[in-house]
């Protein structure tokens, strides 16, 4: 019974398909043919929070394999690494952000917030025509 | 020979995979579970320019079927239609934008320009780390 509750709690963390009542902007930045979007930035922030790629993946309801592939892509997108092995942690096998990784996530969030504001303001007059499902 | 030139000219209009030297932002707005992005807005503008869904599709290097499906989705995303049958044209079967369709495309382009500027400014300090392929 206790186990069932745990499973439920974890399941609730899985992102649901977004059917927001409001128009929901998504910022994707293509860099050398690869896409930097909210999924990769969410993963970066989850790694920062949890201290490991597998824990971050679990937190986001994705497989370890998928989390690892995203992390690997992130490290190949730039000349500087985004994620590095944790050193000196209590447990082995952890991961942490580089200074560049932290700056990247912060810069993306600032650009995302400006994008959200731009969509809200520019599309405001059309808003009554948007279908809510 | 003349035919070959025509084919070449048309082929050059097909969008190539973007491998821009600069980070290339893409704005997607999810409305009621459906996505409004650059592809649909490009199609709206091509219909405005060419006066028909099939000509717009050809211009963008997509099949008539795909162009028609995108146009249909656009008309289902909002309470107001975006594209309507052309009336009083010289040829039958044309399409034109509604007033709402024109306003939608213009609003999206304004939001997109602000997004482009936000990405350019917020990610500028990280720019040297971006890989160019």
């Amino acid at each position: 019974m206790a186990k069932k509750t745990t499973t439920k709690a974890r399941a609730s963390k899985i992102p649901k398909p977004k059917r927001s009542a409001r128009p929901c902007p998504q910022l994707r930045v293509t860099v050398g043919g690869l896409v930097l979007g909210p999924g990769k930035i969410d993963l970066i922030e989850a790694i920062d929070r949890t201290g490991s790629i597998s824990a971050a993946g679990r937190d986001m309801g994705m497989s370890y394999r998928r989390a690892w592939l995203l992390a690997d892509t992130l490290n190949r997108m730039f000349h500087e690494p985004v994620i590095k092995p944790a050193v000196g942690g209590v447990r082995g096998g952890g991961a942490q952000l580089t200074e560049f990784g932290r700056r990247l996530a912060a810069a993306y969030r600032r650009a995302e917030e400006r994008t959200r504001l731009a969509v809200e303001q520019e599309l405001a007059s059309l808003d009554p025509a948007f279908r809510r499902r």
Side-chain angles (χ1 to χ4, degrees), chain A:
Chain A
M1 200 61 176
K3 203 170 186 181
K4 219 170 183 177
T5 314
T6 311
T7 311
K8 261 191 179 169
R10 185 175 295 165
S12 72
K13 283 180 188 169
I14 299 173
K16 293 177 195 99
K18 281 171 194 169
R19 296 227 163 179
S20 160
R22 300 195 60 76
C24 177
Q26 193 188 63
L27 174 63
R28 292 152 58 97
V29 184
T30 304
V31 182
L34 297 171
V35 176
L36 183 68
K40 291 202 187 78
I41 300 294
D42 285 350
L43 181 71
I44 291 179
E45 292 173 342
I47 290 169
D48 199 25
R49 202 165 57 233
T50 62
S52 91
I53 295 175
S54 55
R58 257 196 318 274
D59 231 45
M60 295 175 67
M62 61 171 71
S63 69
Y64 175 71
R65 183 181 151 73
R66 181 160 163 70
W68 191 88
L69 283 174
L70 284 178
D72 183 56
T73 303
L74 273 162
N75 273 353
R76 284 185 296 106
M77 285 180 82
F78 307 97
H79 289 292
E80 298 187 40
V82 172
I83 299 149
K84 63 179 178 184
V87 259
V90 180
R91 303 153 303 159
Q96 60 187 42
L97 299 191
T98 62
E99 180 54 33
F100 174 75
R102 275 212 186 83
R103 286 171 56 216
L104 179 71
Y108 177 91
R109 291 302 186 200
R110 287 195 303 273
E112 185 186 48
E113 173 56 20
R114 286 175 61 175
T115 298
R116 194 195 59 72
L117 203 67
V119 166
E120 190 178 296
Q121 292 171 344
E122 301 298 349
L123 273 68
S125 67
L126 305 170
D127 202 69
F130 288 168
R131 275 197 202 282
R132 270 80 186 179
R133 272 151 226 265

